[in-house]
Amino acid sequence: MKKYFQSLLYITFLAVSSFAIVTAISSYENPFSLYENPLVWIAISAVILVVLLKELVNIVALKKAEELTLEKQGINPEEIDHWAWAKALIKKWTKAKAIADEGEIELDHNYDGIKELDNSLPPWWLYMFYMTIIFGVVYLMRFHVFGGDNQTVEYEKAVAIAQRELSEFQATSKEAVIDMENLTALTDEASLKRGRAVFNLNCAACHAKDGGGLIGPNLTDQYWILGGGIKNVFRTISKGGRDGKGMVAWEKTLKPIDVQKVASYVLSLQGTTPAKPKAAEGDLYEEAAAAAPVKETDTAAPATPEEQETIKE
């Protein structure tokens, strides 16, 4: 009765656990993510552990029953070689001779008591040698007779496939792939609204909600520490500020499209009037001046405060 109860309990556990695991897998978006759904892996591990323990108990019980049967037949279980099959297999695959039978393969050579034996090559080694010959013939025909692709051609084909897949992805994906060469500031209301939301969540703690600056610099003036313009602002947000004292890099936290929208929103704050603006930091930045080539001059007089004010306006 006890045996049947244990079997019934075992079958019930497997059925319930399997149903729970299947339900979890079909319900969760990433059921096999250890960090998101650790209970799924705990349940799977528990089922595997129970099955292994059940099989271990069965093996022990069978072994015990076998020993009792041998004792009834008058055979001592300790005298039985349980590894006889393994020894026979090793002998077959090595063609090794026992020490007592080495006289059958002993040669006439004798060097100061050191005798030479005429052992056969192990079959496993011989078969592997034959396989290398077959491989060599196939390789020769494939690459040197029929002109198969070498590593350079395979690499070029792989790059071409990757570029084609990237183009298809860029054409169909809802998430834009940012091209720094052609990066532009977004001006539509939806993008700026999204940029403001991300800014308020992640950036306002250091720059204030109106961009006037707190720990971080004022974002409403024309002075920039690491350069203004959409490309410089995008790069600063993605890669972070100055080492040791600047803003952290957000490229692993924000999607590239969100970084573009935040950068566009930051640029939209230019010329606004914050409640408590922080003093200007960095250098005066103008998009046209940054794009124009720098001309060398013999003398360069600094701009007067009146000229700087005129430029700023």
Side-chain angles (χ1 to χ4, degrees), residues 20-263:
I21 292 172
V22 171
T23 303
I25 291 175
S26 59
S27 302
Y28 296 137
E29 184 177 354
N30 297 313
F32 297 108
S33 175
L34 180 60
Y35 296 103
E36 294 182 14
N37 304 299
L39 292 178
V40 174
W41 283 104
I42 293 174
I44 294 174
S45 301
V47 171
I48 294 174
L49 182 61
V50 169
V51 171
L52 291 177
L53 290 175
K54 176 66 175 178
E55 294 302 319
L56 181 61
V57 170
N58 290 339
I59 292 172
V60 172
L62 289 174
K63 186 176 180 181
K64 191 68 176 178
E66 182 182 355
E67 290 178 354
L68 292 174
T69 303
L70 292 175
E71 288 179 357
K72 289 180 180 180
Q73 296 175 356
I75 302 174
N76 186 1
E78 296 180 357
E79 296 178 355
I80 298 177
D81 188 0
H82 297 283
W83 294 98
W85 63 272
K87 294 177 181 179
L89 182 64
I90 293 173
K91 184 177 180 180
K92 179 179 178 181
W93 277 88
T94 59
K95 288 188 177 180
K97 288 284 186 180
I99 297 178
D101 300 330
E102 285 184 349
E104 300 176 6
I105 57 173
E106 185 178 318
L107 298 177
D108 295 334
H109 304 160
N110 190 322
Y111 304 94
D112 296 331
I114 300 175
K115 298 180 181 180
E116 185 177 357
L117 302 178
D118 187 18
N119 283 309
S120 301
L121 288 173
W124 65 267
W125 186 95
L126 199 58
Y127 296 152
M128 288 183 65
F129 176 69
Y130 293 153
M131 290 174 61
T132 60
I133 295 175
I134 295 172
F135 175 83
V137 173
V138 173
Y139 185 91
L140 175 68
M141 299 299 293
R142 175 73 175 83
F143 293 101
H144 295 280
V145 177
F146 297 107
D149 295 342
N150 56 26
Q151 290 180 339
T152 303
V153 176
E154 289 179 352
Y155 170 77
E156 292 174 351
K157 287 184 177 180
V159 171
I161 293 173
Q163 290 177 345
R164 184 175 67 252
E165 291 177 350
L166 178 60
S167 300
E168 294 174 356
F169 174 79
Q170 290 175 338
T172 59
S173 176
K174 296 181 180 179
E175 295 292 340
V177 178
I178 304 300
D179 181 7
M180 287 297 294
E181 294 297 326
N182 302 318
L183 182 65
T184 57
L186 304 174
T187 57
D188 59 286
E189 183 179 354
S191 297
L192 294 180
K193 184 177 180 181
R194 171 65 179 175
R196 180 173 66 250
V198 177
F199 180 89
N200 291 337
L201 180 63
N202 300 288
C203 312
C206 294
H207 296 282
K209 283 191 175 183
D210 56 9
L214 294 172
I215 300 175
N218 186 350
L219 301 177
T220 63
D221 57 33
Q222 294 181 328
Y223 289 83
W224 299 87
I225 297 175
L226 297 176
I230 184 62
K231 294 182 180 179
N232 288 324
V233 176
F234 182 94
R235 186 180 300 106
T236 302
I237 296 173
S238 298
K239 303 298 181 182
R242 296 163 293 175
D243 293 339
K245 56 181 178 180
M247 182 177 65
V248 299
W250 290 92
E251 60 183 350
K252 294 183 179 179
T253 306
L254 300 177
K255 295 180 179 179
I257 186 62
D258 282 339
V259 176
Q260 184 184 15
K261 291 177 181 179
V262 173

